[in-house]
Amino acid sequence: MEAGPIGGGQRDGQGSRRRREIVAAVQRLLGEWGSAERLTMRAVAKEVGISAPSIYLHFQDKTELVWAALEDRYGELAAQMAAAALACGDADPQRRVRAQAHAYCRFALGSPGHYRLMFEAYQPAADPSRIGAHPARHISAGLRACLHSCAENGFGLSLPVEQAAQTLWAGLHGMVSLHHSLYRDESSEGLVLQLADGLVDSLVTRAPCVPFRVTPGFETEASHRIRALRSAPEPDGPQP
């Protein structure tokens, strides 16, 4: 009577191990190729030493496979941003947003290969209903949390929180992408961080005379669309 559960547990363990092997194989291939364009289920299966149909026992498609392979990288960046904000202690919320922005830029400048895979290399197209489950959601969530804190503590925001977070993220990405493409000089880090400060200051201010102060329920068309995109359910497939 006890053999069934034990066997089931062993199968579950084997499934989790196989999933990790598949993810590791995808990480190796992405690192070698620099994008997901050449990635196929057949290539991954060959790397692992299994049949291509076996992969579908763990991942529904190539999109989910690539996202799972990059999950750790996004998690690492989100953790560094959270730690930077926490290190500010009881400092004002605007300083915490700046700390997050600096951590983002330093990660991108210090790990350009990882950053390019995460944000600059081709990834499989996803239906809008799924994009809210992309592992990059951890990055935007951290920015939104700090911007919400700014609004709650009386700071003026020039845009609704959803849109402000997306604008800040896009601006930081643009800065580091230009650095990767044009400068490639470590000495320019100071300039990148100064530009990041300017972007934060344009979105968060102590002054009462801002274009508008964010109030509960206020949204622009852009903030409404961003909210809709990230409202997709969390992934519910097999977990490691």
Side-chain angles (χ1 to χ4, degrees), residues 94-137:
Q94 187 186 42
R95 280 188 59 192
R96 292 198 291 273
V97 177
R98 285 191 180 192
Q100 282 194 322
H102 284 197
Y104 183 100
C105 293
R106 287 192 170 112
F107 176 92
L109 299 178
S111 303
H114 291 161
Y115 187 84
R116 288 190 179 97
L117 277 177
M118 294 160 62
F119 295 114
E120 297 176 2
Y122 168 85
Q123 292 189 23
D127 186 272
S129 64
R130 297 176 63 186
I131 200 66
H134 192 286
R137 67 188 183 278

Side-chain angles (χ1 to χ4, degrees), residues 74-102:
Y74 291 108
E76 180 183 355
L77 172 55
Q80 290 183 19
M81 292 170 65
L86 185 63
C88 292
D90 296 328
D92 65 63
Q94 187 186 42
R95 280 188 59 192
R96 292 198 291 273
V97 177
R98 285 191 180 192
Q100 282 194 322
H102 284 197

Side-chain angles (χ1 to χ4, degrees), residues 196-210:
D197 287 344
L199 182 57
V200 171
D201 290 345
S202 72
L203 294 168
V204 184
T205 178
R206 294 180 181 276
C209 52
V210 293

